[in-house]
Amino acid sequence: MSKPFVNLRGIPAVRYQDNNAAVAEVELWWQATPRWSLLGFTGAGRAWGRRDTFSQAETVSTVGAGFRYLIARKLGLHAGIDFATGPEGRAFYIQVGSPWR
């Protein structure tokens, strides 16, 4: 069974995991045209429990930007690409819909 982990764009999946995990992320959109949008985001997270207490655990943070195109107006469905930088390097993501769960 897998443990909770820090799930943020720019952080490798399951890299920071322990008995508990917490994340906070904010995303800001700018509607450039009726179909095209630009966005920026940042987030931070921490995993703790078995090895560290909450205050001892390392906080990891990310920052990034991307764009979206409205591919289905009636459904409100966007697709695009995000570029993120985290503590271990850069990553890019192809997004369809929302990256938020």
Side-chain angles (χ1 to χ4, degrees):
M1 175 158 44
S2 85
K3 294 185 176 199
F5 62 93
V6 175
N7 185 14
L8 292 168
R9 291 171 279 184
I11 303 280
V14 194
R15 170 68 175 90
Y16 299 93
Q17 67 176 332
D18 209 329
N19 291 336
N20 306 291
V23 296
E25 188 174 31
V26 63
E27 184 175 272
L28 182 63
W29 282 54
W30 176 62
Q31 194 75 37
T33 70
R35 292 200 110 154
W36 287 97
S37 302
L38 299 174
L39 59 102
F41 56 89
T42 186
R46 186 182 278 208
W48 75 97
R50 194 179 106 245
R51 291 173 283 154
D52 298 315
T53 65
F54 180 81
S55 61
Q56 294 170 327
E58 177 184 6
T59 298
V60 290
S61 60
T62 66
V63 64
F67 64 88
R68 297 287 187 276
Y69 181 74
L70 181 60
I71 60 174
R73 283 186 195 164
K74 289 184 180 181
L75 299 174
L77 183 63
H78 292 84
I81 296 178
D82 291 344
F83 301 93
T85 301
E88 298 171 22
R90 297 180 181 153
F92 79 95
Y93 301 86
I94 298 171
Q95 299 283 359
V96 177
S98 174
W100 299 42
R101 295 180 188 167

